[in-house]
Amino acid sequence: QTGEFGTVTYSYSDIAAGKDTQTFTYTVTETVPQPSMQGMTYAEPQDVTVTLHWDSKTEELTVTVSNDGKNPVELTNTYNSGKLGVNKKDSANGNPLAGAEFTVYSDLACTETVDTITTNASGFGESKALPVGTYYVKETKAPEGYEIDNEDAYEMEIVADSTGETLSYTFTDTEKTVEARIGAKKTVVGLTSDTTTYTFTLTAKDGNTLVPADNTLELTADQTGEFGTVTYSYSDIAAG
């Protein structure tokens, strides 16, 4: 917005005797409210020069107003801001995770959303520039194949002297897993009494097959048992 102070009326007698110009200097100072707005840097005082000029030939009195060649005076307030960043990693191996979504809230109850963040291929994401204040960052969607490790909101603060830098915090997620066990039943045909213990070994038919640590099984006739547990994870599925 642009505005003007009240009118000042100058007269010929305001020019010093024997001169044809007279300069007057004013200072425009912003009144800082109390309490001041958090994070706001208020405008510096600005000097304004008023030059009064008498033209003896035309007998005209003129005036110019200038602040380094500018009028009106430019008074700029800067509202400090910063960004909130998140790093998303695999809890087991520390690899970066893309596609995690975070919501930034302005209240502890996490009801007032101010922005959302999605991590990139490097596992990093950041918010838009936010004003000074306290925020609460909460993971609201895990990357595909992962589970959120911590559903609590993390408090982050952009301080009053922030100069636009990004504050960051690291979150981890755990890959989804499922367990399976392969069972076997030993049947002996043709013997009415068999006390022999039979041993079986579970091996991988190809290089992509997981084998349990306990891959041997001993059974007697008509006995059922299971090999050790195999834990599969989302990353065991071929991409696509």
Side-chain angles (χ1 to χ4, degrees), residues 83-110:
K83 295 181 180 181
L84 304 178
V86 294
N87 293 290
K88 169 56 64 176
K89 295 184 178 182
D90 185 302
S91 62
N93 54 35
N95 289 337
L97 299 177
E101 295 182 8
F102 294 81
T103 303
V104 182
Y105 302 93
S106 59
D107 63 316
L108 181 58
C110 296

Side-chain angles (χ1 to χ4, degrees), residues 119-143:
T119 57
N120 58 22
S122 299
F124 179 74
E126 66 178 6
S127 71
K128 63 184 179 182
L130 297 171
V132 171
T134 301
Y135 298 91
Y136 302 87
V137 180
K138 182 178 182 180
E139 185 173 3
T140 45
K141 182 181 178 182

